[in-house]
Amino acid sequence: MVNRMSSPHILQVLRCCGLALLTVVVVWTAPVKGQQGAKDGEWRFFSGDGGATRYSPLDQITRDNVKNLKVAWTWKSDNFSNPPEIRNQATPLMVNGLLYFPAGSHRAVVAIDAGTGETRWVWRIDEGARWEKSPRRNSGRGVAYWTDGSGDERIFTITPGFQLAALNAKTGQQVPGFGQGGIVDLFKELGVDFDPTGTIGNSSPPVVCRDVVIVGPAQGEMSRPKSKKMTKADIMAFDVRTGKKRWVFHTIPRPGEFGADTWLNGSNEYTGNAGAWTTFTADNELGYVYLPVEAATGDYYGGQRPGANLFSSTLVALDASTGKRIWYYQLIHHDIWDYDIVTSPVLLDVKVDGKPVKLVIEATKQAFLYVFDRVTGKPIWPIEEKPVPQTDAPGEWTSPTQPFPTKPPAFDRQGITTNDLIDWTPELRQKAIEALKPYRIGPLYRSGSLTEAPDGTKGTIVLPGNLGGANWESTAADPETGYYYVSSMTRPTRIALVKPTPAESDVDYIGLALNPPQPNVEGLPFLKPPYGRITAYDMNRGDIVWQKANGETPPAIKNHPKLKDLNIPKTGGNWRSSILVTKTMLLVGEGWGGPPMFRAMDKATGEILWETQIPAGSTSGLPMTYMHEGKQYIVIAAGSQEARIPAQLVAWALPDTVTRPVSQARSDK
Amino acid sequence: MLLSAFCCLAAMSAQAPAASASQIDQARIDAGKRLFADTCQNDHCHGGSAMNMEDHAGFTAEYLRHVIIEGVPDTGMQAFKGVYTPEQVEQLVAYIVSVSADPGARPARTAPPLAPAHAATTHGELSGDATAGWALFFATTQARNCLDCHIFQGKGGTVGPDLTNEGSIPARELFRRIVMREQHPNARMPTDEYASKYSLRQLLDLVAFLKSTDPASAAGVTLQDLF
């Protein structure tokens, strides 16, 4: 959604900030008409605004006073499931002084006081076998908010058992006029003639655009699918008031529909998946929803679905009111790397070559940014179809070409050559070369290969792997500067195919495992650092402004006996940071799997301004901010697997004794 | 914290020749930690949609080894036989046991201690395999499994009684309750009275599993105990 800064809001700013700011405000708002970001000191969307900028114009916390931040409150999820959930990926919403978020593996919805963390209401249902067999049995990433502006306020959530619930935002009660007593059974809405229990669910919040609430299904992981026949993950939209189904979009076209000819041998009839499991976005002004569609059934092998497989691994723009396709761009033809499309399409208004343009930016696992005009779907910078290596896996089909963006440059390492191997010492480099000899390596889009290949190799090590590059937690943007931030990790995957027994699968080949073990060099990674990074782009120019390692060098590297005489720059680790952008700085959680660090960074340089260790553990959710009773809060979910600290929300604010800048008053609500 | 998810495993050979037993154990745990982070932890598996680490608390090395090698039927836990080397399995087991050793603030969760799998006892009797029984109890391949109706360790249906701590019931009584309809005149228990679902060996395994929740029943269950 494009959240334009309204005139009353500008006046409020001017009243509070004085005339001195007038010139600046005029300069900012005149050329960049579509001012985006979280409005009015609230956080009404999973990613701050409908365009997933994760930007808030709040500025009470500055680079000067950030060092004074203190934990204001914590909220604990210990008793929300048995065993307690450790990793909560949520970003709370903040509306009218309440935070809304999901908690525990049954995905209860909780409302708490934004100033104290006190629980106000909890909603939870028991879903029995639907929950027990759910492919997404966790608290999920968040909820969605809708209001008619006249007192009807709703929180929407998708349960682990795949039901869409509408809750009264004030009370937590199910809204009677929506579906059946506040609930729409999404299994029934799929309209399939089999029991889909256990095959489909969701862990991302639904998306509200205008008067529809849109559900993008998710499924289990498919490195070793039991069958080529799988539930199709149609995208469904429901009326926000009644819950009545408004439209459905077939991500796998049915026979006769547009794109069906990209499925050879009638494979669209039985193939499934192609959901939109990650969070997605909508432009409320245009009325378009942007769907990042995942791969089709078979993460690593697609011999049973020859063809380019539209709309799998495709960015699709639909009319939110009708579900009609506006434009699409397939980012990976015939995806057999489990690349999916994984980040929220970020909607950002910038000036390219002096001309205002409405962008949609898609960062991917394979470390590309694909940048389009979000109105027309036309690439901003050319995207070229280039020949790619072809498969020799029996029965597999590979696309002759794949689309390569010419600009901006990739944000992480792509493909493996000996130049990418560690060179801390000649001995280690030689060992890395030896360690990789049993495997195939090569450029991006080299496909997986047999665990026992005729040439004696044991599979292909691809980089980025399906757990590398960017993912759902990776992106943020600054509508004022046109900067775009993406976190990534340099993590390869070994794609090794095996022939399943008939009991295992009816597909010809499946993965040896989702993530089979890979070689190492005396306990060290075989690839050069950094292992995790944050990259800042100026989207006006399509260039990288800065790139930094995410975090320190892990002890396993720093203290390695073979490296003790070397001065190794920060390597970061194999985890992804989560990023919040405010008027004054970046606020960055180091990420799940990493040390429990939370940092403030300079937006223009990546310089660390402040950092703190979170007692609850590593950051598992994404940071958000809001203003409540004159105070700016920053909130993030954290927990610790090894210390067994269940998921918490941690809120920071400046203590009352610290003088707050005068501009804070403007966003009080 | 799990500090590393690198594509790497600690090479044992570097430390082995001059290392003490405890150093080898620690090296094995460290290697297991890296291997776990690299191959087990992701959004779909441990730390994601599957069990959190704390679920492993109290599991024995034998049980973990069995689950890693054989998998758990019809869950995301595949059989890793042929994926990990035997040494890698031992590394994973060493790491998970090391994390489980200190249950922290919460009580450790019990898991089936293993009776020898279908081994003959010193008296030549067939004994139940608690792990196999555990797999049957949770098996989702079948139209019905025990978990549909019974809770075990907080999970499962509420139609029948919670079976988490029923190990003190004599094996013979448990067996009768599973197979004989007359034990449940008004209940919905689909007994095995007409011997259609389970083989005698499987019934023995199921009883061994239920008995394994009782520390006093550590001796295991033999075929003779059922009759």
Side-chain angles (χ1 to χ4, degrees):
Chain A
M1 179 187 298
V2 180
N3 292 316
R4 294 186 185 282
M5 184 181 260
S6 62
S7 302
H9 189 79
I10 293 174
L11 291 175
Q12 201 178 6
V13 171
L14 298 183
R15 270 203 301 277
C16 298
C17 304
L19 196 61
L21 203 55
L22 177 64
T23 321
V24 180
V25 171
V26 170
V27 167
W28 281 345
T29 54
V32 188
K33 201 176 162 199
Q35 177 74 3
Q36 296 161 289
K39 292 203 304 184
D40 302 329
E42 296 187 321
W43 192 273
R44 289 192 174 203
F45 296 83
F46 171 76
S47 296
D49 59 16
T53 60
R54 299 200 157 266
Y55 174 82
S56 168
L58 296 179
D59 61 357
Q60 183 180 86
I61 297 163
T62 66
R63 53 190 298 145
D64 296 325
N65 66 22
V66 65
K67 63 180 184 293
N68 298 320
L69 280 180
K70 293 278 181 297
V71 172
W73 51 259
T74 57
W75 184 91
K76 298 177 181 177
S77 73
D78 296 37
N79 296 92
F80 273 70
S81 44
N82 177 29
E85 188 178 63
I86 303 288
R87 181 188 186 190
N88 181 315
Q89 301 183 337
T91 308
L93 307 186
M94 189 286 206
V95 188
N96 292 329
L98 290 181
L99 265 62
Y100 301 98
F101 56 92
S105 57
H106 289 275
R107 207 175 295 166
V109 178
V110 186
I112 67 173
D113 185 289
T116 64
E118 179 190 358
T119 302
R120 292 292 189 80
W121 58 253
V122 173
W123 173 86
R124 178 190 188 279
I125 52 171
D126 187 351
E127 299 191 283
R130 284 176 78 131
W131 177 83
E132 194 65 48
K133 297 177 192 300
S134 169
R136 304 281 160 154
R137 219 166 51 176
N138 54 40
S139 59
R141 304 196 172 100
V143 296
Y145 172 85
W146 172 82
T147 179
D148 65 356
S150 309
D152 187 352
E153 292 182 277
R154 299 180 181 191
I155 296 293
F156 290 101
T157 188
I158 303 170
T159 65
F162 210 44
Q163 305 191 71
L164 175 66
L167 309 175
N168 180 319
K170 296 185 191 81
T171 65
Q173 300 292 309
Q174 291 168 209
V175 177
F178 185 89
Q180 295 291 314
I183 290 185
V184 170
D185 184 338
L186 297 170
F187 280 178
K188 286 185 185 158
E189 298 294 340
L190 282 172
V192 294
D193 57 3
F194 56 90
D195 177 7
T197 304
T199 67
I200 194 161
N202 188 300
S203 48
S204 291
V207 168
V208 174
C209 183
R210 296 185 176 175
D211 61 349
V212 294
V213 52
I214 304 159
V215 175
Q219 290 162 308
E221 66 90 12
M222 291 288 155
S223 60
R224 296 163 58 85
K226 281 208 169 60
S227 175
K228 64 182 182 181
K229 296 175 190 163
M230 203 59 67
T231 307
K232 288 176 165 59
D234 297 336
I235 312 295
M236 297 182 283
F238 302 89
D239 186 289
V240 282
R241 290 183 175 83
T242 64
K244 188 163 182 285
K245 187 153 79 178
R246 289 272 292 271
W247 52 260
V248 58
F249 177 74
H250 295 154
T251 57
I252 298 176
R254 306 302 196 264
E257 293 180 350
F258 179 86
D261 58 349
T262 63
W263 299 81
L264 306 180
N265 304 344
S267 52
N268 52 331
E269 291 189 21
Y270 51 77
T271 304
N273 292 85
W277 62 260
T278 192
T279 56
F280 54 98
T281 47
D283 186 324
N284 211 49
E285 187 180 76
L286 283 170
Y288 293 175
V289 57
Y290 299 91
L291 295 169
V293 182
E294 60 151 10
T297 307
D299 281 348
Y300 296 147
Y301 182 84
Q304 72 288 349
R305 51 172 169 88
N309 303 152
L310 282 178
F311 296 91
S312 74
S313 298
T314 300
L315 183 62
V316 182
L318 302 180
D319 182 311
S321 300
T322 63
K324 192 176 152 239
R325 177 171 40 82
I326 305 293
W327 60 262
Y328 72 94
Y329 207 100
Q330 189 172 48
L331 307 189
I332 303 131
H333 308 312
H334 191 79
D335 187 349
I336 46 172
W337 299 268
D338 188 25
Y339 280 149
D340 297 345
I341 298 186
V342 289
T343 63
S344 283
V346 171
L347 313 185
L348 189 68
D349 296 353
V350 300
K351 278 181 151 186
V352 177
D353 299 330
K355 290 180 192 158
V357 57
K358 290 172 180 289
L359 301 183
V360 53
I361 307 164
E362 189 58 58
T364 63
K365 287 187 192 175
Q366 64 269 40
F368 278 130
L369 291 193
Y370 300 82
V371 187
F372 305 93
D373 180 322
R374 70 175 178 273
V375 182
T376 64
K378 191 166 175 278
I380 298 297
W381 296 285
I383 298 176
E384 295 175 354
E385 290 286 338
K386 290 186 183 174
V388 290
Q390 297 295 292
T391 183
D392 67 349
E396 181 58 286
W397 187 99
T398 33
S399 172
T401 62
Q402 293 288 353
F404 286 75
T406 55
K407 204 178 174 182
F411 53 82
D412 213 307
R413 209 181 280 281
Q414 295 175 312
I416 304 174
T417 69
T418 49
N419 287 337
D420 299 301
L421 306 183
I422 50 172
D423 57 358
W424 286 312
T425 69
E427 180 205 356
L428 289 172
R429 184 185 189 79
Q430 194 51 43
K431 287 191 169 170
I433 292 170
E434 293 298 321
L436 284 180
K437 272 194 176 155
Y439 308 95
R440 295 186 187 181
I441 56 173
L444 190 64
Y445 297 121
R446 179 146 200 200
S447 56
S449 54
L450 301 184
T451 307
E452 304 289 343
D455 62 2
T457 53
K458 306 273 182 199
T460 303
I461 296 180
V462 301
L463 182 72
N466 58 340
L467 303 176
N471 214 302
W472 66 272
E473 68 270 64
S474 286
T475 61
D478 187 336
E480 292 189 38
T481 60
Y483 277 27
Y484 175 89
Y485 301 92
V486 57
S487 65
S488 63
M489 59 178 167
T490 309
R491 182 167 180 175
T493 293
R494 176 181 158 212
I495 303 183
L497 303 171
V498 292
K499 204 162 185 53
T501 64
E504 284 176 319
S505 181
D506 63 16
V507 179
D508 286 346
Y509 288 90
I510 59 174
L512 176 64
L514 170 64
N515 198 17
Q518 296 180 52
N520 68 95
V521 182
E522 299 192 13
L524 292 167
F526 59 80
L527 288 169
K528 284 179 186 169
Y531 303 111
R533 50 187 107 190
I534 302 172
T535 306
Y537 288 89
D538 179 350
M539 295 310 299
N540 300 285
R541 297 187 289 118
D543 281 333
I544 291 175
V545 183
W546 56 262
Q547 186 171 67
K548 298 273 184 187
N550 174 33
E552 303 292 330
T553 304
I557 296 176
K558 199 191 289 183
N559 304 329
H560 195 279
K562 291 276 170 71
L563 305 179
K564 64 176 187 289
D565 298 327
L566 300 174
N567 180 24
I568 294 174
K570 284 182 186 180
T571 66
N574 247 191
W575 42 84
R576 270 181 290 261
S577 60
S578 54
I579 304 166
L580 163 69
V581 191
T582 71
K583 170 88 82 187
T584 53
M585 65 186 85
L586 301 180
L587 289 147
V588 180
E590 186 164 336
W592 192 244
M597 299 305 294
F598 191 68
R599 300 187 170 95
M601 297 168 74
D602 186 295
K603 293 200 283 187
T605 65
E607 175 202 351
I608 293 173
L609 306 172
W610 166 82
E611 62 182 10
T612 188
Q613 188 165 330
I614 307 175
S618 300
T619 57
S620 56
L622 312 185
M624 52 83 73
T625 189
Y626 58 89
M627 203 74 172
H628 183 69
E629 294 178 350
K631 219 180 242 202
Q632 184 184 354
Y633 292 81
I634 295 161
V635 173
I636 196 165
S640 171
Q641 285 191 305
E642 287 203 337
R644 293 194 199 128
I645 300 173
Q648 299 184 4
L649 289 185
V650 184
W652 290 272
L654 295 172
D656 290 328
T657 50
V658 176
T659 307
R660 293 195 287 269
V662 67
S663 63
Q664 48 99 357
R666 76 173 198 225
S667 294
D668 286 1
K669 193 170 170 72
Chain B
M1 303 314 307
L2 283 168
L3 280 174
S4 174
F6 294 118
C7 42
C8 57
L9 310 166
M12 299 301 299
S13 57
Q15 292 94 339
S20 69
S22 66
Q23 282 171 322
I24 292 171
D25 288 348
Q26 190 55 49
R28 188 172 271 176
I29 289 168
D30 291 345
K33 179 175 176 173
R34 283 192 289 271
L35 185 57
F36 189 90
D38 184 29
T39 63
C40 309
Q41 281 192 304
N42 60 65
D43 282 2
H44 292 290
C45 304
H46 303 284
S49 296
M51 295 166 115
N52 286 321
M53 280 300 296
E54 82 280 7
D55 285 314
H56 299 290
F59 285 3
T60 62
E62 290 79 5
Y63 170 74
L64 290 167
R65 196 176 288 120
H66 177 89
V67 165
I68 293 168
I69 293 170
E70 301 297 338
V72 180
D74 286 293
T75 68
M77 184 66 190
Q78 69 173 94
F80 281 91
K81 197 172 2 188
V83 178
Y84 296 125
T85 64
E87 173 54 27
Q88 287 176 327
V89 172
E90 293 311 309
Q91 290 167 356
L92 287 169
V93 168
Y95 167 61
I96 298 167
V97 167
S98 79
V99 181
S100 309
D102 171 17
R106 288 194 309 282
R109 293 164 61 76
T110 54
L114 293 190
H118 298 134
T121 64
T122 49
H123 307 292
E125 298 154 343
L126 192 68
S127 67
D129 178 351
T131 306
W134 177 87
L136 281 173
F137 192 93
F138 287 87
T140 51
T141 38
Q142 306 182 15
R144 281 175 169 171
N145 63 47
C146 308
L147 202 67
D148 285 344
C149 296
H150 296 280
I151 289 174
F152 190 81
Q153 291 184 349
K155 295 175 181 174
T158 54
V159 177
D162 185 332
L163 299 179
T164 307
N165 294 305
E166 298 299 300
S168 58
I169 298 173
R172 188 167 302 159
E173 177 62 19
L174 286 171
F175 179 65
R176 285 167 61 87
R177 289 187 192 182
I178 296 170
V179 300
M180 296 181 71
R181 194 172 297 277
E182 67 188 43
Q183 302 292 316
H184 313 272
N186 299 313
R188 294 163 62 190
M189 173 74 183
T191 55
D192 210 54
E193 185 163 310
Y194 302 106
S196 57
K197 288 185 281 294
Y198 298 116
S199 67
L200 189 56
R201 172 168 282 177
Q202 286 177 314
L203 289 165
L204 180 59
D205 293 340
L206 271 174
V207 172
F209 163 62
L210 294 171
K211 290 291 290 177
S212 73
T213 59
D214 175 29
S217 303
V221 180
T222 67
L223 194 57
Q224 198 176 25
D225 295 330
L226 302 188
F227 298 99

